[in-house]
Amino acid sequence: MSRPQATARPQNYARLVWLRFARSRLGLAGLGCLVLLLIIVLFGRFLAPHDPDTRFAPFQPPSHWTSAGFVNPIDSGKVDPVTLQPILTTAGAQPVRLGLFVRGHLVAPRDPDGELHLLGTDRFGRDIFSRGLVAARISLGLATIVVTLTTTTGLLLGAIAGYRGGAIDRWLSRLIDFVLAFPQLPLYLALGALIPITLGSGMFLILLIGIMAMLGWAGLAREIRGKTMVLARMDYVRAAIALGATDWRVVYRHIAPNLVSHVLVSFTLTLPAIVLLESFLGFLGLAVKPPLISWGLMLQDAGSFAAIGSYPWILSPVGFVFITVFAFNAVGDALRDAIDPY
Amino acid sequence: MTQSTLTDPVLEVAGLGIGFGARTLVAGAALTIARGETVALVGESGSGKSLTARAIMGLLPRGAALAAGSSIRLAGTELTTLREPALRRLRGNRMAMVFQEPMSSLNPLHTVGAQLVEAICIHQPISRSAAMTRAGELLEEVGLPEPLLKLRQYPHELSGGQRQRVMIAMALSNQPDLLIADEPTTALDVIVQAQILALLKDLQARYAMAVLLITHDLTIVRRHASRVHVMQAGRIVEAGETAAIFATPQHTYTQMLLAAEPSAVAPPFTGSGDPLCEARNLCVDFPARRTGWGAKPADIRVVHAASLAVARGESVGIVGESGSGKTTLGLAMMRLIAAASGEIAFDSTRIDGFDRAAMQPFRRRMQIVLQDPFASLNPRLSVRQIVEEGLIVNGIGSGPADRLRRVRAALDDAGLGEAAMGDILARFPHEFSGGQRQRLSIARALAVEPEFLLLDEPTSALDLSVQAQILALLQRLQRERGLSYLFISHDLKVVRALCQRIIVMKAGAIVEEGAASDILAHPQTEYAARLVRAALDLAA
């Protein structure tokens, strides 16, 4: 026992975490999805086959994949006897000729009048797939900003409450209770209604972010407070104080690094929750305003039962939300297992 | 292997091997225990002694498996080929086990009586009321006062020692042939330890049980076992009569283990006697929590008017049971927790009223080494960062190069120098063993060149051989640097090896104080006498 592992090379922390993370297949799949999402956020307009605001015929069904390529169904001239909707067919329709790097898009119909609607079109005839790709930037950007705000606030207030204790802790804890006790959904709707309708879309977005951040930090703050209290009583903190370390040094050198793992996991698990919240508030009518596009806004159209019944593809933005939530949850879970390799 | 012809062997283990995947954890272990005999299995942590016990009970952890050719016979029945239901009928019935941790081995949601009745009714066809009567008798037998009241109480209402008595009662409930006691007293205070061991001895005679006593404590072995098996790295390296092995150990490991037992007496104090660190009438309160609406209840006093002084180059030991306030007193003297009243002086300067900034120049002169080698080092910092921290916060050293030199010197002094360990500066605490971590803690303290060290049970989480090394290190450092130690421990043998003076604490107050040799030879108070007897008296 005189020199265990004397020859082994010291392993740094990030490497250990990565080795353990790589053991989770679901986590790797989630990481793959995250990379895909990042690419979509950065290059959404380029990847989309159409401009998100170009109008085609409304409520077109998705293009079909046949042996000849993508085909847009055409009106067969007949009418469904029950719903009185025109019956569409692919028979006789011309396949869409696709080309690479056409008019600033990666893949698009070569013909300037050609149409490719992988997920159909919405009520204004806009291509849902293209809009979904472009909306990723707003939806994920909004979620990232909100989570960054809530995480910073939660970490700061939680750490202060946990480390200082006493009266500060009592007051901050009551504030946390107060925020957690709000009935959140009615509050969101009420605050949404308070925002003047004439407000520009950018200002509206900022207010929406503000509301979400204000209501979202308390849970993390409470967790951080508890963890800080535990860490502040560790022997190594006592040893640091005995060495003469200041409060500030104790916090950033001894407490914060041991909170990082928790915060990182909380970040990855809260982000999909905000994406979900945004889409679901959109469904209820509290979404970003056009001309901005978000998944929540796209789902606003799916609010009517009749529309979903006739044109089920307008629900497809849910798919984007689903991929996001899966990716972040998978990564967050794997990260949580990997983060404490000691 | 000495193998006397045993009459009536209760347990015969032969060729026992335990593997965990590809690793072999125990190999070729053999031992026999006769009726009415106590056999000890000793070894350091990781030697495989608990695993052997669990194999006998058929309770191997998931993933561990018996090697081919292992044989465990209980009163003639081969256990290794038995299926689980048959084993279950034997467990708690013909063979029973007492575990180390009395806090977690009882279910907190059921009364003591209900748990005893369950243990009885599983194996005996008697009614619950008859079983309850039997449970009361058992509690009386294990020496619990008011057994009928205890039956209705929950585990949290009992002390650690009482809980261990309940565990023993439960193990005895079906009059087993074999009782396995796995470190039954390690979690208990010394005085309670002695009582529990005496109880076990008494019950063994009454029930004519075979007892397998697993322990790391050689004093217990010497006092209670007729034969002893020494285990090292999964093998039984030596076995025989206890007296013979203690007198003439054959195997080098056994010799090392016996030599590691602290038996020396501290070198006499030769300093001037001027106090370096001093407390006068020090009182420490723990704040009471406000419950409900009424006025805040009074704070709880945990240290009552304690006065003590440590001279330059002297070692003073504080001994006492857990909860006696010895750690609190030590931390208050270091100004790490607030004192309610009293004076603290360091090098003739009153420091009790100092705020953080005023304390700063004193911090580097008084350092601490704490008990838990796992909690006392920040897992996220490298060895260099840990040892360097004190230099940085105190502005010691002329620059990074000079600090690095000082870090290396401190590691060297603590026995972790390059010659012994290679370059460890970039390593993290989890790569080190308990003893090495404790050396790291010492290096961290040494780096700032202190004059006074508070040692709070620095060796009690360590194996005996490692403990001996750390004690030797502390003695060498004291010789070379003239350090003063305030040494907190529950183990009088360790205190005797290191300290010239001893302070005995009970319930927050100092009850006795004097030269180590005086207190150990002629303790004045009944409490000190009991502590000394429990720790040192072999004939007890």
Side-chain angles (χ1 to χ4, degrees):
Chain A
M1 47 141 274
S2 58
R3 51 166 78 186
Q5 313 149 7
T7 51
R9 82 173 235 273
Q11 296 198 304
N12 75 38
Y13 178 65
R15 206 182 126 73
L16 278 172
V17 170
W18 167 247
L19 283 177
R20 304 230 326 183
F21 183 89
R23 265 192 252 160
S24 154
R25 244 181 255 171
L26 206 61
L28 287 178
L31 199 63
C33 288
L34 277 194
V35 172
L36 188 73
L37 283 171
L38 188 68
I39 294 173
I40 291 176
V41 166
L42 293 176
F43 307 109
R45 267 173 204 277
F46 172 65
L47 296 173
H50 292 291
D51 187 89
D53 297 318
T54 310
R55 297 187 176 203
F56 303 95
F59 292 132
Q60 286 188 61
S63 304
H64 288 216
W65 172 253
T66 66
S67 53
F70 282 105
V71 170
N72 290 317
I74 51 169
D75 197 336
S76 65
K78 287 179 235 157
V79 169
D80 187 303
V82 179
T83 63
L84 299 180
Q85 295 278 340
I87 293 178
L88 300 172
T89 172
T90 55
Q94 286 298 312
V96 185
R97 287 168 55 245
L98 297 175
L100 277 176
F101 303 109
V102 181
R103 296 182 298 282
H105 299 283
L106 178 64
V107 177
R110 217 173 284 170
D111 185 355
D113 297 328
E115 297 180 27
L116 174 69
H117 305 299
L118 291 179
L119 299 175
T121 60
D122 65 8
R123 64 189 166 120
F124 297 116
R126 297 171 300 196
D127 182 45
I128 293 181
F129 181 68
S130 302
R131 287 176 70 76
L133 294 187
V134 174
R137 188 174 297 179
I138 295 286
S139 284
L140 288 174
L142 174 136
T144 310
I145 295 173
V146 169
V147 177
T148 307
L149 287 174
T150 58
T151 306
T152 319
T153 319
L155 180 62
L156 220 61
L157 295 185
I160 291 173
Y163 188 71
R164 302 300 314 209
I168 295 176
D169 178 31
R170 271 201 296 283
W171 285 106
L172 281 177
S173 294
R174 290 301 80 77
L175 181 65
I176 291 171
D177 291 343
F178 181 69
V179 172
L180 285 178
F182 273 133
Q184 302 221 340
L185 187 56
L187 198 72
Y188 278 124
L189 296 180
L191 286 174
L194 282 182
I195 301 176
I197 203 133
T198 52
L199 216 57
S201 58
M203 204 57 213
F204 188 90
L205 182 67
I206 291 171
L207 282 178
L208 192 64
I209 289 173
I211 293 170
M212 287 182 170
M214 248 161 35
L215 293 178
W217 60 273
L220 180 69
R222 175 172 284 180
E223 289 163 30
I224 293 294
R225 169 181 173 268
K227 262 195 100 78
T228 308
M229 288 173 94
V230 172
L231 289 170
R233 280 157 189 70
M234 292 298 283
D235 280 353
Y236 55 78
V237 169
R238 185 155 270 166
I241 295 171
L243 283 169
T246 55
D247 273 345
W248 171 239
R249 188 177 172 88
V250 167
V251 169
Y252 87 76
R253 193 79 178 182
H254 294 283
I255 293 182
N258 287 289
L259 290 173
V260 163
S261 56
H262 188 89
V263 171
L264 211 62
V265 172
S266 150
F267 192 94
T268 49
L269 294 180
T270 322
L271 204 132
I274 298 292
V275 170
L276 270 179
L277 180 67
E278 191 267 339
S279 65
F280 143 99
L281 288 180
F283 194 82
L284 292 173
L286 181 63
V288 300
K289 277 189 171 183
L292 299 176
I293 315 168
S294 79
W295 294 330
L297 179 71
M298 293 170 74
L299 283 169
Q300 216 164 24
D301 293 347
S304 120
F305 192 70
I308 299 178
S310 304
Y311 321 110
W313 57 85
I314 58 170
L315 265 178
S316 53
V318 168
F320 290 100
V321 176
F322 177 81
I323 292 172
T324 310
V325 173
F326 161 77
F328 277 100
N329 277 338
V331 168
D333 273 347
L335 207 56
R336 176 166 47 199
D337 295 340
I339 212 106
D340 272 313
Y342 304 135
Chain B
M1 212 134 290
T2 62
Q3 202 44 77
S4 49
T5 49
L6 289 171
T7 53
D8 194 10
V10 172
L11 179 73
E12 297 163 280
V13 176
L16 178 73
I18 302 168
F20 198 89
R23 286 194 300 150
T24 303
L25 300 178
V26 173
L31 60 97
T32 51
I33 311 178
R35 190 167 293 284
E37 187 188 29
T38 298
V39 171
L41 195 56
V42 296
E44 306 201 311
S45 51
S47 61
K49 46 191 200 306
S50 287
L51 211 55
T52 303
R54 293 182 71 164
I56 294 168
M57 292 293 287
L59 290 172
L60 279 180
R62 190 184 291 264
L66 286 180
S70 304
S71 164
I72 302 167
R73 293 165 75 85
L74 179 73
T77 316
E78 178 63 46
L79 300 185
T80 51
T81 54
L82 281 188
R83 291 183 173 283
E84 183 55 27
L87 262 179
R88 214 177 292 143
R89 275 195 294 280
L90 290 176
R91 223 182 275 143
N93 189 14
R94 307 291 10 114
M95 53 182 181
M97 192 156 173
V98 178
F99 296 92
Q100 170 173 354
E101 202 40 78
M103 299 296 163
S104 54
S105 34
L106 287 169
N107 187 335
L109 295 181
H110 296 286
T111 59
V112 166
Q115 296 184 57
L116 278 169
V117 165
E118 190 190 6
I120 296 169
C121 288
I122 286 174
H123 296 291
Q124 292 177 25
I126 59 174
S127 70
R128 293 190 73 83
S129 59
M132 193 56 100
T133 316
R134 173 83 186 113
E137 292 165 14
L138 280 168
L139 289 187
E140 190 154 15
E141 216 160 343
V142 296
L144 275 175
E146 301 179 86
L148 294 179
L149 171 69
K150 292 285 182 294
L151 281 178
R152 291 198 304 274
Q153 283 182 325
Y154 287 88
H156 72 263
E157 298 176 76
L158 309 182
S159 71
Q162 288 178 328
R163 264 181 270 196
Q164 203 60 311
R165 283 175 195 266
V166 172
M167 282 307 295
I168 292 171
M170 201 179 285
L172 293 179
S173 57
N174 298 299
Q175 288 142 8
D177 300 314
L178 171 68
L179 178 70
I180 300 178
D182 187 359
E183 305 265 7
T185 59
T186 307
L188 304 175
D189 274 326
V190 241
I191 292 174
V192 185
Q193 233 173 47
Q195 294 166 351
I196 294 285
L197 286 166
L199 169 72
L200 272 178
K201 197 171 191 172
D202 176 45
L203 291 169
Q204 175 189 25
R206 217 182 307 162
Y207 282 79
M209 288 181 297
V211 173
L212 178 61
L213 181 66
I214 294 168
T215 181
H216 66 280
D217 189 335
L218 294 174
T219 314
I220 294 177
V221 173
R222 203 175 333 201
R223 212 180 291 172
H224 293 277
S226 52
R227 285 187 302 124
V228 56
H229 294 249
V230 182
M231 221 168 167
Q232 182 202 14
R235 290 173 187 280
I236 294 183
V237 294
E238 190 163 1
E241 303 290 326
T242 305
I245 285 197
F246 273 83
T248 52
Q250 300 297 317
H251 195 274
T252 48
Y253 180 71
T254 317
Q255 291 165 357
M256 190 273 289
L257 212 57
L258 290 177
E261 205 187 10
S263 54
V265 176
F269 176 57
T270 51
S272 64
D274 295 338
L276 176 66
C277 190
E278 200 177 356
R280 283 183 288 268
N281 291 321
L282 196 64
C283 297
V284 183
D285 292 345
F286 278 176
R289 276 181 182 277
R290 187 196 299 271
T291 53
W293 293 105
K296 198 166 175 246
D299 292 343
I300 303 148
R301 179 140 295 187
V302 285
V303 174
H304 301 272
S307 300
L308 68 103
V310 182
R312 208 175 274 280
E314 187 190 27
S315 303
V316 175
I318 305 184
V319 297
E321 291 187 294
S322 54
S324 59
K326 44 191 199 303
T327 297
T328 311
L329 171 60
L331 292 177
M333 281 182 73
M334 303 283 294
R335 296 284 331 276
L336 287 171
I337 52 179
S341 65
E343 296 173 12
I344 305 164
F346 188 85
D347 200 11
S348 312
T349 312
R350 280 274 300 268
I351 58 170
D352 43 277
F354 281 5
D355 63 8
R356 226 173 176 156
M359 265 312 284
Q360 189 72 23
F362 289 91
R363 286 288 181 211
R364 65 172 288 193
R365 301 174 66 187
M366 44 207 298
Q367 281 300 305
I368 55 173
V369 176
L370 296 162
Q371 170 175 6
D372 184 347
F374 291 88
S376 53
L377 302 170
N378 187 340
R380 295 287 146 85
L381 297 186
S382 69
V383 167
R384 178 178 177 170
Q385 289 171 317
I386 288 170
V387 181
E388 203 177 23
E389 174 153 48
L391 301 176
I392 294 174
V393 298
N394 289 298
I396 302 172
S398 54
D402 185 43
R403 282 205 300 271
L404 185 61
R405 187 188 59 71
R406 286 167 187 268
V407 168
R408 285 191 197 280
L411 287 171
D412 230 12
D413 270 348
L416 293 173
E418 286 212 61
M421 296 287 299
D423 191 11
I424 57 166
L425 291 177
R427 289 163 175 266
F428 287 85
H430 69 101
E431 299 174 57
F432 297 90
S433 67
Q436 290 168 337
R437 284 159 160 262
Q438 218 52 323
R439 284 173 190 270
L440 265 180
S441 287
I442 294 174
R444 169 175 59 194
L446 288 181
V448 295
E449 293 165 2
E451 297 152 54
F452 175 82
L453 273 186
L454 172 69
L455 303 162
D456 187 3
E457 306 253 15
T459 63
S460 56
L462 306 176
D463 272 328
L464 216 50
S465 56
V466 184
Q467 168 174 298
Q469 292 166 11
I470 298 287
L471 286 178
L473 170 68
L474 290 172
Q475 272 167 343
R476 177 171 64 78
L477 290 172
Q478 185 165 45
R479 252 196 334 272
E480 290 174 3
R481 301 185 169 217
L483 291 173
S484 307
Y485 291 152
L486 184 58
F487 188 89
I488 296 168
S489 181
H490 67 279
D491 187 343
L492 266 174
K493 268 190 281 189
V494 178
V495 173
R496 176 179 64 180
L498 195 70
C499 301
Q500 291 102 11
R501 259 185 329 120
I502 293 181
I503 285 166
V504 182
M505 281 190 84
K506 185 187 181 187
I510 294 177
V511 294
E512 194 164 343
E513 180 182 358
S517 48
D518 289 348
I519 290 201
L520 292 172
H522 315 289
Q524 298 302 307
T525 56
E526 167 61 19
Y527 180 73
R530 272 162 66 197
L531 276 180
V532 171
R533 210 161 46 230
L536 302 174
D537 190 359
L538 295 180

